[in-house]
């Protein structure tokens, strides 16, 4: 489709309300489960780091550019490089969820709830394109 040409469609109001209610439920679920998801991800990252450290230590004899420093709090920091192909790096855990701050959650929740309330009060059978565009970012 060429840029600059507007799409003019009318969508049934109940369909938009249902979609917004689903989006609100998903938003609430995502927000309430994000702490548990973060904990799971942190545990997976810790496990991955230990696995990488175990593999790296097993090949320390091949290390180059070894350096060790003592930090201000007494911790010892050791850095070294291993040649490419020394071992197969395990796959790093990825976040398969989004995180949001409390203010962001409240703002989205309020906007979606307001849109649902307004759409439930209308007698219009369809939602015009400009109204749909205003709420589309939540769908």
């Amino acid at each position: 489709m060429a840029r600059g040409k507007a799409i003019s469609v009318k969508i049934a109001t109940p369909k938009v309300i249902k979609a917004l209610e689903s989006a609100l439920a998903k938003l609430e679920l995502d927000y309430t489960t994000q702490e548990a998801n973060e904990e799971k991800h942190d545990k997976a990252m810790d496990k991955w780091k230990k696995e990488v450290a175990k593999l790296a230590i097993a090949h320390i004899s091949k290390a180059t550019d070894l350096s060790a420093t003592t930090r201000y709090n007494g911790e010892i920091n050791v850095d070294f490089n291993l040649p490419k192909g020394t071992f197969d790096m395990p796959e790093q855990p990825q976040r398969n969820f989004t995180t949001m701050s409390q203010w962001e959650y409240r703002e989205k929740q309020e906007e979606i709830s307001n849109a649902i309330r307004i759409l439930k009060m209308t007698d219009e059978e369809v939602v015009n394109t400009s109204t749909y565009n205003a709420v589309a970012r939540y769908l």
Side-chain angles (χ1 to χ4, degrees):
M1 177 180 4
R3 289 185 170 257
K5 293 188 178 184
I7 298 174
S8 179
V9 294
K10 295 189 180 190
I11 302 165
T13 302
K15 285 184 179 180
V16 175
I17 292 171
K18 185 175 179 180
L20 284 171
E21 288 172 340
S22 295
L24 182 60
K26 183 179 180 332
L27 175 75
E28 290 172 351
L29 179 66
D30 288 349
Y31 186 72
T32 57
T33 60
Q34 83 178 9
E35 189 173 322
N37 288 337
E38 278 290 335
E39 285 179 22
K40 271 201 281 191
H41 181 262
D42 289 347
K43 285 180 183 178
M45 282 298 292
D46 288 344
K47 182 180 176 185
W48 177 81
K49 287 176 185 178
K50 287 177 183 177
E51 189 176 343
V52 169
K54 186 177 178 181
L55 290 168
I57 290 170
H59 295 91
I60 193 104
S61 62
K62 300 175 186 175
T64 59
D65 298 327
L66 185 84
S67 66
T69 56
T70 303
R71 299 184 56 179
Y72 68 93
N73 60 0
E75 289 182 350
I76 300 170
N77 184 27
V78 179
D79 291 319
F80 59 92
N81 297 330
L82 292 173
K84 182 178 179 180
T86 302
F87 61 88
D88 290 332
M89 186 80 148
E91 188 174 331
Q92 183 174 353
Q94 300 296 315
R95 274 191 171 88
N96 58 354
F97 58 94
T98 57
T99 57
M100 68 182 84
S101 60
Q102 188 175 17
W103 68 266
E104 183 181 10
Y105 163 72
R106 285 184 178 164
E107 183 178 285
K108 286 181 179 182
Q109 181 195 36
E110 185 176 320
E111 288 181 17
I112 294 171
S113 297
N114 287 341
I116 291 169
R117 278 193 296 277
I118 290 169
L119 288 171
K120 283 184 175 181
M121 290 189 304
T122 187
D123 292 330
E124 296 292 324
E125 293 180 18
V126 294
V127 175
N128 63 31
T129 305
S130 63
T131 302
Y132 182 77
N133 285 339
V135 297
R137 65 178 169 221
Y138 302 112
L139 303 178

